């Protein structure tokens, strides 16, 4: 009986040592895999952060470009409005001169009427041209704003997507 008990005890000790050795080996393997996965996740996170930073820089650049374009459009609009104002003042001045010449001879009056008519035509053409330029400038600003909104939306979606992936990993 003692020999059988000793043999069982010996077998149990051998089984325990084998199990213990196997367990330590598996724990070491799992730790190595976990470390590798953590390193991979860290690398992925760094890469995503870098991409997000690049996207943010691109958005900043686009915003700066849009601000510059808006400023240029505002300057152009102001310049065009100034030209229109000068032309309107010129027309008013011509009209005032016309009213002051009522006492002139009929021939001078007719010549002046023709000249005024020609200048009104030129002023009308200039006013039309300046109005078209102002509309073009407004449309360009609207197009730039729409483009920026679209790019900001795409950058936001990219950022959300990257954050989603980062959260999954």
């Amino acid at each position: 009986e003692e020999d059988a008990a000793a043999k069982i005890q010996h077998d149990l000790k051998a089984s325990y040592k084998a199990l213990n050795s196997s367990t330590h080996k598996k724990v070491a393997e799992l730790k190595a895999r976990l470390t590798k996965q953590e390193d991979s996740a860290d690398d992925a996170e760094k890469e995503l952060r870098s991409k997000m930073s690049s996207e943010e820089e691109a958005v900043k650049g686009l915003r700066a470009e849009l601000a510059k374009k808006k400023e240029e459009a505002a300057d152009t609009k102001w310049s065009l409005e100034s030209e229109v104002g000068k032309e309107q003042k010129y027309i008013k001045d011509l009209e005032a001169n016309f009213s002051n010449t009522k006492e002139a001879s009929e021939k001078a009056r007719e010549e002046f009427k023709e000249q005024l008519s020609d200048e009104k035509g030129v002023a009308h053409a200039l006013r039309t041209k300046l109005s078209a330029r102002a509309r073009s400038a407004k449309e360009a600003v609207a197009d730039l704003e729409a483009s920026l909104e679209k790019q900001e939306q795409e950058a936001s979606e990219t950022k959300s997507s990257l954050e989603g992936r980062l959260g999954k990993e």
Side-chain angles (χ1 to χ4, degrees), residues 53-66 148:
S53 177
S54 297
E55 292 293 329
E56 288 171 357
E57 288 300 318
V59 168
K60 285 180 187 177
L62 290 172
R63 283 185 179 149
E65 184 178 331
L66 177 63
L148 176 64

Side-chain angles (χ1 to χ4, degrees), residues 50-107:
S50 175
K51 285 181 183 178
M52 286 173 48
S53 177
S54 297
E55 292 293 329
E56 288 171 357
E57 288 300 318
V59 168
K60 285 180 187 177
L62 290 172
R63 283 185 179 149
E65 184 178 331
L66 177 63
K68 183 179 178 184
K69 298 258 185 201
K70 280 184 179 180
E71 187 176 320
E72 289 173 0
D75 289 346
T76 301
K77 179 182 175 188
W78 181 84
S79 176
L80 293 174
E81 287 173 348
S82 176
E83 287 182 40
V84 168
K86 288 177 185 177
E87 291 297 324
Q88 288 174 341
K89 184 182 182 314
Y90 179 67
I91 291 168
K92 286 180 183 178
D93 290 347
L94 288 176
E95 290 170 348
N97 287 336
F98 177 73
S99 68
N100 291 333
T101 60
K102 285 184 180 179
E103 297 176 10
S105 69
E106 189 62 32
K107 184 178 177 185

